[in-house]
Structure formats: C-alpha cells, structure tokens
Amino acid sequence: MTSRQTAPGTQASGDVDVVLIGAGIMSATLGTLLQQLEPTWSIRIYERLDDVALESSNPWNNAGTGHAALCELNYTPERADGTVDISKAVAINEQFEVSRELWQHLLATGRLKDSSFISRTPHMTFVRGEKNVEYLRRRHQALSAHPLFRDLELSTDRATIERWAPLLTEDRDASEAVAATRSTSGTDVDFGNLTRQLVDGLVQNGAELKLEHEVKSLKRRKDGRWRLRVKDRSWNADVRTSTVDAKFVFVGAGGGALPLLQSSGIPEIKGFGGFPISGEFLRTSNPEVVARHQAKVYGKADVGAPPMSVPHLDTRVIDGRQYLMFGPYAGFSPKYLKKGKYLGLITSMRAHNLTSMLGAGLKNLDLTQYLVGQLVAAPETKFHSLQQFMPTAHPKDWETITAGQRVQVIKRDAEGKGVLQFGTEIVSGADGTIAGLLGASPGASTAASAMVDVLETCFPERFASWRGELSTLMPSIDGVPADARDLETAPAAPVEPAAPVVRADGVLDAAVYESQADSRV
C-alpha cells in the first residue's frame, strides 16, 4: 500500500504524512498549498541550517527580480530569420502571475502577515550599440503586441532614458547608440521575508519545523513509505541520529536536492547531474547613489555567459532599506550549497551521469572559457562592467558580497547525450511518493506554478478534487488570461516604496531621506 492509499492520521507513532526537506521558498510554498488543501495532514520541515531561507531564498543570494520576463533578454531569443521568440517570456510571465495571485490571496486571508516582501519597482532593459538597439526594437514590437506586456515602453531618446534611470546616461559618450524598455508593473521581491512568513503560517497551523536537522539519506520501505535518516546538527543534541517514516517527501533543498534524490534510488534521477556556479555582486547603500536609481535594469549577457550571469543594476528593498546591487560576476566552487561541503560536485558523480556531465561539458566549452575569464579577471576589470552600465560609478561607494550557489541541471536529451539545461526541473518518482526540484532561475518567482505541477504529478487521484480550491487561490491555473479577469481582484504589487526626496538640482536632501527611514519598505 502506497502513501497515496493510506489515509492521513492512521500512521504509527513518529510517522508523518509529508516531509519537506529544506526550508526555502519551494518547500514553504508546497507546504502552504498542502495545508490549505488537506488541513489534517501532518507536515514536518527539516532545515540543516539554524534558520529558514538562508540559502537561495536569502535576499542577498538572489536578485529578487520577481521574474516576469519584462526585462530579461535571455527569455526572448532571436530566431535565425531575425524575428524574436517570445514564447518563453509569456510562459514565465504567466507563472509569476500565478505566484502573485497566491500571495494576494494569502494576504487577504491573513495567512501572510503583511506585504513587506514585495515592492513595485520598474523593470528595464538597457542596451548599447546599433545592433542591440535594433534587436530591442524588434523585441519590444513582439512583446508589446501581447496583452501581458502591453505596458512595455521603448525609448531611444536619451532624455527619456535619463528620466527613467539617470545613472544609465550620466557622463555617457553622446555618440553611443542606446535604447531602453521599461515596465512600471515590475516588482522587487524579498524571498527571504516571504519564506519566513509562509513558514510561520505553516507552524502556526500545526506543521513542525526542525532547524539544524539534516536529512542524510532516504530509503523506500516495502509498504511504500520513505524512511529518512536525520542528523541533529545542534550543539546540545541528546540524540544525534534518528529516523522518521513519511508517506510523501519533497526535496526542496536547492543545490542539495541532487544528492538526496540520488540517495533515494529512484530510477527517474538516473542521468541527471549538476554543475555548480558561484558568484558575487557589488552593493551600495550610499543614499546619494541609491536615491537616483529606482529600477531593475538588465543588459545583454557576454558571449558564452550563462543566463544567470546577465548583468543587471537593481534596486533592492530589504528589511525596510533600499540598496543598489550590480552583477553577478560568475565564479566556481565545487560546493552544491553556499554553506555546503567542498566535495559536493565529486560525490554527486555516478556511473549513470558521467556521460551526461562529460557530454554537457564538451558542448559548453564557451561557458567554461567564460567562467575561467571571470575567475582570473582583476577587480578593476570587474568594476569596469559596472561602469559600462553606470559611467559615474566610483569604487568607494561599492562593496563586494558573495551571491548564492547555483547548480545548473545536466540531463540526457532524446538521443541520450548530455545537455546543460537552464531553468528548473521537477523530478518525481513513478508512484508519486517523492519529488524534488533541480535547477536555478527563474525558480523562486515561479514557485506557485511549479508546486502546482508537483501536486498534479504526485497526487493525481486527489488533484481533481483539489482543483476548485486551487482555482480560488490562483485563478490563472485554469487558463483565464490575466487581462480578462476582474481588475479589482487581479493581483498587484501591494507596496510601493516611498522615493527619497531629491532637490531640483538632483542632489539628495539627506535630512528628508533619513526622516523617511521608518516609512520606507
């Protein structure tokens, strides 16, 4: 008898219905949905660190863009005939809309305590050079014809771009061709804040949260349940290792998901590998600089750069304070987690994925070359990348911070050859008792739709009965176009940060800025 067939509440002492591994945005979202759908099910969350959202969901480990494909050029590739393919951009925008609907519902019902995790922040794309300007024109023409992107503005006028984001144009060569697009419906999302609120709601409604508890292995029992071996990492633990049996397991452990899914022995994980990529950002909290840039601005990636390395100059709103962040600068670490082990890459290699990993490596020599170039680049060379975006940038205003660790998915293609896949991948066992999420961006932004996919895949016999409740939480999952819904119920970024006061001469009024400190979000 599988966990799908066992009624909740009949398990032996110490068993749970659902185990979520990793207390990040994915586990928090799935747990929230399951608790809404099946409030009698027992849920336990295991997190190896001493708090939730300390890896990829931590706000300083990601860009917090709220990926809606409004500004990211890698979601709108150019076809051989010169036309622009917007299909991926549309899909990602729809997925982010589902997340916003869920958040809006949880706010309205009090499940989320406040909207401090999201703020309205325009999304922009900025390019230089005639060839890129022409591409941006074609991209804008294709996107703005779609209802989801109808508010996307395009300008090649420097005065207009200066009004949108003055740091992009100040002291820039007047002969350089530039263009920008802007959408004022963009957002900045503090996924750490959001995750903490979701987990708080889970715990308040009966879920267990086990911090400093690391799941070391998973083994399928004959009755279909999973036995997890758990290590208590706290310094004063009475018992270091324990076991728990679960009917359903979700591995939302970021870079740690691959080795855990390998530990489970499910055949569906065979052929999968992962390539870890680390990185850095530049950050400033100088109020005079921060006050003059209110947008997330994405540029064009260097040749050979992975999508996650697209340069961007972002407004960030974290813990009620505004910053600017630029990057990322790619790096390499064999660790699968930022606070993980250096042997992560080595220990994930298996006979079944060596061919995939070697094949993907040979197909992506340009990526290897790019990473090596980033690793050996001098600090002044890296800072020049920021100055290409912001000509007036000065090193004294900026500090370097380490970004989160990302693991790019490597899998077999239809011919059995290894390919590097950008994005996320859900891997689930055939009987629906276990699932995990691999990959990176746009990850967190699409958590709601990704977790609905997990529910549909792993609980097929229950999903039909859940459909009505899920449609109440997220109307878009029934395919209702965003522009066709009642605007009064359509989700909107519920918070708009108060802009600091800048005098007519462009100089920040520091006294007014400080007086607003408590009201900024």
Side-chain angles (χ1 to χ4, degrees), residues 308-389:
M308 66 174 64
S309 293
V310 173
H312 44 94
L313 180 62
D314 291 355
T315 294
R316 294 304 322 267
V317 185
I318 297 173
D319 295 330
R321 188 176 182 185
Q322 293 184 2
Y323 303 81
L324 294 187
M325 185 169 74
F326 177 80
Y329 299 97
F332 175 76
S333 168
K335 297 194 295 184
Y336 271 4
L337 291 166
K338 187 174 180 178
K339 298 182 180 181
K341 298 177 180 179
Y342 282 98
L343 293 178
L345 174 60
I346 301 299
T347 57
S348 74
M349 293 183 178
R350 301 285 193 277
H352 62 72
N353 67 13
L354 278 178
T355 302
S356 302
M357 296 179 76
L358 290 173
L362 291 173
K363 288 181 180 179
N364 292 275
L365 292 177
D366 54 346
L367 172 58
T368 303
Q369 182 180 3
Y370 169 79
L371 291 175
V372 171
Q374 288 271 292
L375 287 170
V376 301
E380 55 268 24
T381 301
K382 292 184 177 181
F383 198 80
H384 179 65
S385 299
L386 169 58
Q387 291 174 321
Q388 289 181 315
F389 251 71

Side-chain angles (χ1 to χ4, degrees), residues 18 20-38 43 45 52-53 57 95-96 98-103 106 111-112 117 189-202 248 250 252 426 437 442-455 466 470 473-474 477:
V18 176
L20 306 172
I21 304 177
I25 186 63
M26 293 297 176
S27 291
T29 301
L30 181 60
T32 299
L33 292 176
L34 283 171
Q35 207 170 61
Q36 294 275 126
L37 297 167
E38 298 289 347
I43 298 175
I45 309 167
V52 306
S57 300
Q95 290 169 349
F96 183 57
V98 172
S99 291
R100 284 175 40 142
E101 288 175 344
L102 176 61
W103 303 338
L106 296 175
R111 185 67 181 250
L112 288 172
F117 62 89
V189 182
D190 180 343
F191 285 105
N193 180 335
L194 173 59
T195 301
R196 289 191 295 272
Q197 291 198 45
L198 289 173
V199 172
D200 286 346
L202 279 164
F248 174 74
F250 175 71
I426 296 172
L437 191 76
S445 299
T446 62
S449 59
M451 294 305 99
V452 170
D453 288 344
V454 169
L455 294 176
W466 289 346
L470 290 171
L473 299 173
M474 300 159 286
I477 67 168

Side-chain angles (χ1 to χ4, degrees), residues 205-277:
N205 285 275
E208 292 181 85
L209 172 63
K210 297 287 188 179
L211 298 175
E212 296 185 278
H213 280 69
E214 180 178 7
V215 176
K216 303 295 288 185
S217 64
L218 303 95
K219 183 178 180 180
R220 191 193 303 270
R221 290 168 50 96
K222 291 182 179 180
D223 62 3
R225 291 178 296 171
W226 288 93
R227 175 152 292 177
L228 287 69
R229 185 169 62 89
V230 184
K231 179 181 179 181
D232 188 339
R233 294 163 52 93
S234 59
W235 68 271
N236 60 344
D238 293 329
V239 179
R240 284 294 174 190
T241 303
S242 61
T243 60
V244 63
D245 292 344
K247 299 173 186 175
F248 174 74
V249 176
F250 175 71
V251 187
L258 176 61
L260 283 171
L261 288 169
Q262 289 175 334
S263 165
S264 74
I266 59 172
E268 291 79 7
I269 197 61
K270 292 187 182 299
F272 278 92
F275 184 77
I277 298 177

